[in-house]
Amino acid sequence: TLKSGLNYPWEILWGKDDHIWMTERGGKISKIDPKTGNTVFSSSISEVVSRGEGGLLGMVQHPDFLLNGLFYVVYNYKSSGGYAEKLVQMKYENGNMRTVKTLLENIPAAGFHNGSRLLISGGNDPKLFMTTGDATVQPNAQNTSSVSGKVLRFNLDGTIPSDNPFPGSPVWSYGHRNQQGLVMANGIMYASEHGPNIEDEMNIIEKKRNYGWPTVNGPCNGLDELTFCSANNVKEPIWSSGNGTLAVCGLDYYNNNRIPEWKNCLLMLTLKDASLRALKLSVDGKSVVSEQ
Protein backbone atom coordinates (compact mmCIF):
# COMPACT_ATOMS: atom_id res chain seq x y z
CA THR A 1 0.00 0.00 0.00
CA LEU A 2 1.55 3.27 -1.16
CA LYS A 3 -1.02 5.70 0.27
CA SER A 4 -4.01 5.22 2.55
CA GLY A 5 -6.58 7.39 4.30
CA LEU A 6 -7.78 8.95 1.05
CA ASN A 7 -11.22 10.50 0.54
CA TYR A 8 -12.67 9.25 -2.78
CA PRO A 9 -9.56 9.43 -4.99
CA TRP A 10 -10.86 9.99 -8.51
CA GLU A 11 -8.11 10.75 -11.03
CA ILE A 12 -4.69 9.14 -10.62
CA LEU A 13 -2.03 10.18 -13.15
CA TRP A 14 1.58 9.27 -13.67
CA GLY A 15 2.85 12.84 -13.97
CA LYS A 16 5.38 14.05 -16.49
CA ASP A 17 7.64 14.75 -13.49
CA ASP A 18 7.58 11.02 -12.55
CA HIS A 19 5.34 11.65 -9.57
CA ILE A 20 1.79 10.49 -8.95
CA TRP A 21 -0.80 13.26 -9.30
CA MET A 22 -4.23 12.68 -7.85
CA THR A 23 -7.59 14.36 -7.37
CA GLU A 24 -9.93 13.58 -4.49
CA ARG A 25 -13.60 14.27 -4.99
CA GLY A 26 -13.79 16.69 -2.07
CA GLY A 27 -11.52 19.14 -3.93
CA LYS A 28 -7.95 18.15 -3.09
CA ILE A 29 -5.10 17.82 -5.60
CA SER A 30 -1.96 16.00 -4.41
CA LYS A 31 1.46 15.15 -5.75
CA ILE A 32 2.90 11.94 -4.30
CA ASP A 33 6.41 10.48 -4.38
CA PRO A 34 5.94 7.00 -5.90
CA LYS A 35 9.04 5.65 -4.12
CA THR A 36 8.03 6.62 -0.58
CA GLY A 37 4.32 7.44 -0.67
CA ASN A 38 5.06 10.85 0.84
CA THR A 39 2.82 13.74 -0.21
CA VAL A 40 5.12 16.30 -1.84
CA PHE A 41 2.35 18.83 -2.54
CA SER A 42 -1.31 19.11 -1.65
CA SER A 43 -3.84 21.89 -2.08
CA SER A 44 -7.61 22.18 -2.34
CA ILE A 45 -9.89 24.10 -4.70
CA SER A 46 -12.30 25.92 -2.41
CA GLU A 47 -14.97 26.33 -5.11
CA VAL A 48 -15.54 22.56 -5.41
CA VAL A 49 -18.91 21.30 -4.17
CA SER A 50 -19.04 17.53 -3.75
CA ARG A 51 -22.59 16.22 -3.95
CA GLY A 52 -23.38 12.54 -4.56
CA GLU A 53 -20.99 11.45 -7.31
CA GLY A 54 -20.02 15.07 -8.00
CA GLY A 55 -16.99 17.04 -6.90
CA LEU A 56 -13.43 17.30 -8.22
CA LEU A 57 -13.20 14.73 -11.02
CA GLY A 58 -10.90 14.46 -14.06
CA MET A 59 -7.39 15.90 -14.44
CA VAL A 60 -4.79 15.88 -17.21
CA GLN A 61 -1.44 17.59 -17.68
CA HIS A 62 -0.50 19.79 -20.63
CA PRO A 63 2.02 18.12 -22.99
CA ASP A 64 4.54 20.82 -21.98
CA PHE A 65 3.73 20.58 -18.25
CA LEU A 66 7.41 20.40 -17.30
CA LEU A 67 7.97 23.76 -19.01
CA ASN A 68 4.73 25.65 -18.38
CA GLY A 69 3.17 23.90 -15.37
CA LEU A 70 -0.26 23.87 -17.02
CA PHE A 71 -2.88 21.24 -16.27
CA TYR A 72 -6.65 20.88 -16.57
CA VAL A 73 -9.34 19.80 -14.11
CA VAL A 74 -13.10 19.30 -14.13
CA TYR A 75 -15.18 19.93 -11.03
CA ASN A 76 -18.69 20.61 -9.80
CA TYR A 77 -19.61 23.88 -8.11
CA LYS A 78 -22.56 26.03 -7.09
CA SER A 79 -23.47 28.41 -9.91
CA SER A 80 -26.17 31.06 -10.11
CA GLY A 81 -28.33 28.49 -11.90
CA GLY A 82 -27.77 25.71 -9.37
CA TYR A 83 -25.38 22.76 -9.33
CA ALA A 84 -23.03 22.88 -12.34
CA GLU A 85 -19.70 21.67 -13.70
CA LYS A 86 -16.73 23.50 -15.19
CA LEU A 87 -13.53 22.81 -17.10
CA VAL A 88 -10.60 24.84 -15.82
CA GLN A 89 -6.99 25.38 -16.86
CA MET A 90 -4.62 25.63 -13.88
CA LYS A 91 -0.91 26.22 -13.32
CA TYR A 92 1.53 24.61 -10.89
CA GLU A 93 4.68 26.58 -10.10
CA ASN A 94 6.94 27.15 -7.10
CA GLY A 95 5.03 24.62 -5.03
CA ASN A 96 1.67 26.32 -5.51
CA MET A 97 -1.25 26.03 -7.89
CA ARG A 98 -3.61 28.67 -9.24
CA THR A 99 -6.45 28.97 -11.72
CA VAL A 100 -5.41 30.38 -15.10
CA LYS A 101 -8.81 30.49 -16.79
CA THR A 102 -12.16 28.77 -17.06
CA LEU A 103 -12.55 27.07 -20.44
CA LEU A 104 -16.21 26.03 -20.08
CA GLU A 105 -18.67 26.60 -17.25
CA ASN A 106 -22.34 26.05 -16.40
CA ILE A 107 -22.21 22.49 -17.71
CA PRO A 108 -25.31 20.77 -16.26
CA ALA A 109 -24.48 18.64 -13.21
CA ALA A 110 -26.35 16.48 -10.73
CA GLY A 111 -25.77 14.03 -7.89
CA PHE A 112 -25.22 11.39 -10.60
CA HIS A 113 -23.91 11.16 -14.19
CA ASN A 114 -21.34 13.98 -14.29
CA GLY A 115 -18.62 12.18 -16.30
CA SER A 116 -15.91 13.44 -16.42
CA ARG A 117 -12.64 12.13 -17.76
CA LEU A 118 -10.06 14.29 -19.55
CA LEU A 119 -7.61 13.25 -22.26
CA ILE A 120 -5.11 15.10 -24.44
CA SER A 121 -4.38 13.51 -27.80
CA GLY A 122 -0.84 13.19 -29.10
CA GLY A 123 0.73 14.44 -32.31
CA ASN A 124 1.76 17.86 -33.54
CA ASP A 125 -1.66 19.42 -32.91
CA PRO A 126 -2.92 17.93 -29.63
CA LYS A 127 -6.54 18.43 -28.57
CA LEU A 128 -8.24 18.28 -25.18
CA PHE A 129 -11.15 15.82 -24.88
CA MET A 130 -13.69 15.73 -22.05
CA THR A 131 -16.55 13.35 -21.27
CA THR A 132 -19.81 14.62 -19.82
CA GLY A 133 -22.72 12.63 -18.40
CA ASP A 134 -26.37 13.28 -19.08
CA ALA A 135 -26.69 14.76 -15.54
CA THR A 136 -29.86 12.62 -15.17
CA VAL A 137 -31.69 14.49 -17.98
CA GLN A 138 -31.66 11.71 -20.55
CA PRO A 139 -32.97 13.57 -23.65
CA ASN A 140 -30.04 16.02 -23.49
CA ALA A 141 -27.71 13.23 -24.64
CA GLN A 142 -29.35 13.37 -28.09
CA ASN A 143 -29.54 17.18 -28.20
CA THR A 144 -26.40 18.40 -29.98
CA SER A 145 -27.06 21.93 -28.67
CA SER A 146 -26.49 20.62 -25.13
CA VAL A 147 -23.05 19.70 -23.77
CA SER A 148 -24.55 16.92 -21.60
CA GLY A 149 -24.01 13.27 -22.54
CA LYS A 150 -21.16 14.08 -24.90
CA VAL A 151 -17.50 13.81 -25.70
CA LEU A 152 -16.26 17.40 -26.06
CA ARG A 153 -13.16 18.54 -27.97
CA PHE A 154 -11.14 21.75 -27.47
CA ASN A 155 -7.89 23.35 -28.48
CA LEU A 156 -5.50 23.45 -25.52
CA ASP A 157 -6.30 27.14 -24.97
CA GLY A 158 -10.00 26.29 -24.65
CA THR A 159 -11.07 27.58 -28.06
CA ILE A 160 -13.21 25.46 -30.39
CA PRO A 161 -11.28 23.65 -33.17
CA SER A 162 -12.37 24.69 -36.65
CA ASP A 163 -12.81 21.04 -37.69
CA ASN A 164 -15.25 20.14 -34.93
CA PRO A 165 -18.43 18.64 -36.45
CA PHE A 166 -20.81 21.33 -35.18
CA PRO A 167 -19.45 24.83 -35.92
CA GLY A 168 -18.70 26.83 -32.79
CA SER A 169 -19.52 23.87 -30.54
CA PRO A 170 -17.18 21.65 -28.51
CA VAL A 171 -19.41 18.61 -29.18
CA TRP A 172 -17.46 15.76 -30.81
CA SER A 173 -19.78 12.77 -30.22
CA TYR A 174 -23.16 12.40 -28.52
CA GLY A 175 -25.75 9.96 -27.21
CA HIS A 176 -23.73 9.06 -24.09
CA ARG A 177 -25.07 8.24 -20.62
CA ASN A 178 -22.07 8.56 -18.30
CA GLN A 179 -18.47 7.89 -19.39
CA GLN A 180 -15.84 7.59 -16.67
CA GLY A 181 -13.01 6.00 -18.65
CA LEU A 182 -11.17 7.49 -21.63
CA VAL A 183 -7.91 6.47 -23.27
CA MET A 184 -6.17 6.81 -26.65
CA ALA A 185 -4.18 3.88 -28.04
CA ASN A 186 -2.68 3.51 -31.52
CA GLY A 187 -4.75 6.41 -32.82
CA ILE A 188 -8.06 4.99 -31.51
CA MET A 189 -10.04 6.59 -28.67
CA TYR A 190 -11.81 4.22 -26.27
CA ALA A 191 -14.40 5.13 -23.64
CA SER A 192 -16.01 3.04 -20.92
CA GLU A 193 -19.63 3.99 -20.27
CA HIS A 194 -22.10 3.18 -17.51
CA GLY A 195 -25.29 1.50 -18.67
CA PRO A 196 -28.54 1.68 -16.69
CA ASN A 197 -29.39 -1.72 -15.15
CA ILE A 198 -27.98 -3.49 -18.25
CA GLU A 199 -25.33 -3.02 -20.91
CA ASP A 200 -22.26 -1.20 -19.68
CA GLU A 201 -20.25 -0.37 -22.80
CA MET A 202 -16.78 -0.04 -24.27
CA ASN A 203 -16.96 2.33 -27.23
CA ILE A 204 -14.62 3.56 -29.92
CA ILE A 205 -15.20 7.31 -30.07
CA GLU A 206 -15.50 8.82 -33.54
CA LYS A 207 -16.29 12.29 -34.84
CA LYS A 208 -20.01 13.17 -35.05
CA ARG A 209 -21.14 9.66 -34.17
CA ASN A 210 -24.26 8.94 -32.14
CA TYR A 211 -23.95 6.33 -29.37
CA GLY A 212 -27.68 5.81 -28.90
CA TRP A 213 -28.55 6.77 -25.33
CA PRO A 214 -31.29 6.86 -24.09
CA THR A 215 -33.02 4.86 -26.87
CA VAL A 216 -30.27 2.25 -27.31
CA ASN A 217 -28.62 0.16 -24.58
CA GLY A 218 -25.49 -1.67 -25.73
CA PRO A 219 -25.65 -3.21 -29.23
CA CYS A 220 -28.63 -2.43 -31.45
CA ASN A 221 -31.23 -5.10 -30.63
CA GLY A 222 -35.00 -5.24 -31.11
CA LEU A 223 -37.10 -3.39 -33.63
CA ASP A 224 -37.11 0.00 -31.88
CA GLU A 225 -33.36 0.06 -31.35
CA LEU A 226 -32.56 -1.22 -34.84
CA THR A 227 -34.82 1.42 -36.39
CA PHE A 228 -33.20 4.18 -34.33
CA CYS A 229 -29.66 2.94 -35.04
CA SER A 230 -30.28 2.84 -38.78
CA ALA A 231 -31.80 6.32 -38.87
CA ASN A 232 -29.21 7.98 -36.59
CA ASN A 233 -25.80 6.59 -37.61
CA VAL A 234 -25.37 4.88 -34.23
CA LYS A 235 -21.95 3.44 -33.43
CA GLU A 236 -22.31 0.15 -31.55
CA PRO A 237 -19.98 -0.78 -28.66
CA ILE A 238 -17.08 -3.20 -29.15
CA TRP A 239 -17.90 -4.79 -25.77
CA SER A 240 -20.90 -4.70 -23.44
CA SER A 241 -21.86 -6.32 -20.15
CA GLY A 242 -25.13 -7.81 -21.40
CA ASN A 243 -28.07 -8.30 -19.02
CA GLY A 244 -26.40 -6.74 -16.00
CA THR A 245 -24.04 -3.95 -14.97
CA LEU A 246 -20.53 -3.81 -13.55
CA ALA A 247 -20.39 0.00 -13.24
CA VAL A 248 -17.37 0.40 -15.52
CA CYS A 249 -15.10 3.35 -14.73
CA GLY A 250 -11.35 3.93 -14.97
CA LEU A 251 -9.62 2.83 -18.17
CA ASP A 252 -6.06 2.49 -19.45
CA TYR A 253 -4.15 0.73 -22.22
CA TYR A 254 -1.32 -1.74 -21.58
CA ASN A 255 1.20 -2.97 -24.14
CA ASN A 256 4.35 -3.82 -22.20
CA ASN A 257 6.40 -7.02 -22.19
CA ARG A 258 6.59 -6.96 -18.38
CA ILE A 259 3.13 -8.58 -18.15
CA PRO A 260 2.90 -10.40 -21.49
CA GLU A 261 -0.65 -11.66 -20.82
CA TRP A 262 -1.84 -8.04 -20.80
CA LYS A 263 -0.18 -6.95 -24.04
CA ASN A 264 -2.56 -4.99 -26.29
CA CYS A 265 -5.24 -4.91 -23.58
CA LEU A 266 -7.62 -2.29 -22.32
CA LEU A 267 -7.47 -2.41 -18.51
CA MET A 268 -10.86 -1.47 -17.10
CA LEU A 269 -11.97 -1.00 -13.50
CA THR A 270 -15.48 -1.68 -12.25
CA LEU A 271 -17.19 -0.17 -9.22
CA LYS A 272 -19.95 -2.73 -8.62
CA ASP A 273 -17.72 -5.70 -7.85
CA ALA A 274 -14.41 -3.80 -7.51
CA SER A 275 -12.76 -5.73 -10.33
CA LEU A 276 -9.91 -5.15 -12.76
CA ARG A 277 -10.63 -6.56 -16.23
CA ALA A 278 -8.27 -7.03 -19.15
CA LEU A 279 -10.02 -6.70 -22.51
CA LYS A 280 -7.70 -8.12 -25.20
CA LEU A 281 -7.94 -6.13 -28.42
CA SER A 282 -7.72 -7.43 -31.98
CA VAL A 283 -4.61 -6.55 -33.98
CA ASP A 284 -6.40 -3.57 -35.56
CA GLY A 285 -7.79 -2.47 -32.18
CA LYS A 286 -11.36 -2.38 -33.44
CA SER A 287 -12.78 -5.31 -31.49
CA VAL A 288 -12.40 -7.16 -28.19
CA VAL A 289 -11.29 -10.77 -28.69
CA SER A 290 -11.22 -11.93 -25.06
CA GLU A 291 -11.91 -10.81 -21.49
CA GLN A 292 -10.18 -11.77 -18.24
Side-chain angles (χ1 to χ4, degrees):
T1 299
L2 188 69
K3 198 73 179 176
S4 59
L6 303 175
N7 179 26
Y8 297 107
W10 209 92
E11 187 77 75
I12 304 175
L13 301 177
W14 187 265
K16 298 182 185 301
D17 55 1
D18 287 335
H19 280 68
I20 294 169
W21 285 78
M22 177 181 66
T23 67
E24 291 174 74
R25 211 167 59 196
K28 184 185 292 185
I29 296 176
S30 300
K31 174 182 175 179
I32 298 167
D33 186 331
K35 296 177 182 177
T36 64
N38 292 335
T39 300
V40 178
F41 163 82
S42 185
S43 184
S44 293
I45 301 173
S46 60
E47 191 183 21
V48 170
V49 176
S50 181
R51 184 183 300 171
E53 294 176 357
L56 176 56
L57 305 175
M59 174 173 62
V60 70
Q61 293 179 343
H62 190 284
D64 296 324
F65 175 79
L66 292 178
L67 297 174
N68 60 25
L70 294 176
F71 64 102
Y72 304 82
V73 294
V74 172
Y75 60 82
N76 299 123
Y77 68 108
K78 188 74 164 58
S79 74
S80 58
Y83 199 48
E85 187 167 271
K86 63 167 63 175
L87 170 63
V88 176
Q89 185 186 63
M90 304 192 71
K91 186 178 180 72
Y92 175 74
E93 60 182 345
N94 301 322
N96 293 290
M97 69 179 193
R98 62 178 175 85
T99 297
V100 176
K101 61 180 175 179
T102 298
L103 305 186
L104 186 65
E105 59 188 346
N106 292 315
I107 303 164
F112 304 96
H113 301 185
N114 298 302
S116 171
R117 198 64 67 175
L118 296 178
L119 169 72
I120 293 179
S121 61
N124 296 324
D125 187 21
K127 303 298 181 188
L128 172 64
F129 291 85
M130 170 185 175
T131 68
T132 64
D134 66 12
T136 72
V137 183
Q138 297 180 5
N140 281 345
Q142 288 294 320
N143 178 4
T144 56
S145 297
S146 167
V147 292
S148 294
K150 308 295 188 294
V151 173
L152 307 178
R153 180 176 181 258
F154 304 86
N155 294 315
L156 298 190
D157 62 0
T159 57
I160 307 300
S162 60
D163 59 344
N164 271 16
F166 304 99
S169 169
V171 172
W172 184 251
S173 66
Y174 60 104
H176 300 289
R177 184 174 183 266
N178 191 30
Q179 302 170 100
Q180 291 189 325
L182 191 66
V183 69
M184 182 85 79
N186 304 312
I188 299 174
M189 184 179 295
Y190 302 91
S192 57
E193 180 165 344
H194 289 271
N197 57 349
I198 59 171
E199 301 289 12
D200 291 328
E201 298 178 0
M202 180 66 68
N203 288 305
I204 291 177
I205 301 302
E206 295 177 354
K207 178 179 181 177
K208 206 178 182 179
R209 292 304 294 270
N210 188 338
Y211 290 80
W213 178 255
T215 302
V216 182
N217 294 317
C220 302
N221 288 309
L223 182 59
D224 289 347
E225 288 192 355
L226 287 167
T227 300
F228 183 90
C229 289
S230 177
N232 293 279
N233 192 32
V234 168
K235 175 84 173 171
E236 295 186 82
I238 61 169
W239 172 94
S240 69
S241 61
N243 292 321
T245 54
L246 305 167
V248 297
C249 51
L251 184 65
D252 214 328
Y253 176 73
Y254 191 89
N255 199 34
N256 197 285
N257 290 322
R258 184 166 292 186
I259 307 177
E261 296 86 352
W262 285 0
K263 285 207 72 173
N264 196 34
C265 277
L266 294 171
L267 299 182
M268 179 180 70
L269 277 297
T270 75
L271 296 169
K272 195 169 184 179
D273 56 357
S275 68
L276 168 64
R277 291 165 187 259
L279 304 181
K280 178 77 76 172
L281 293 170
S282 57
V283 174
D284 64 7
K286 295 180 179 179
S287 62
V288 172
V289 297
S290 66
E291 173 187 352
Q292 182 182 355

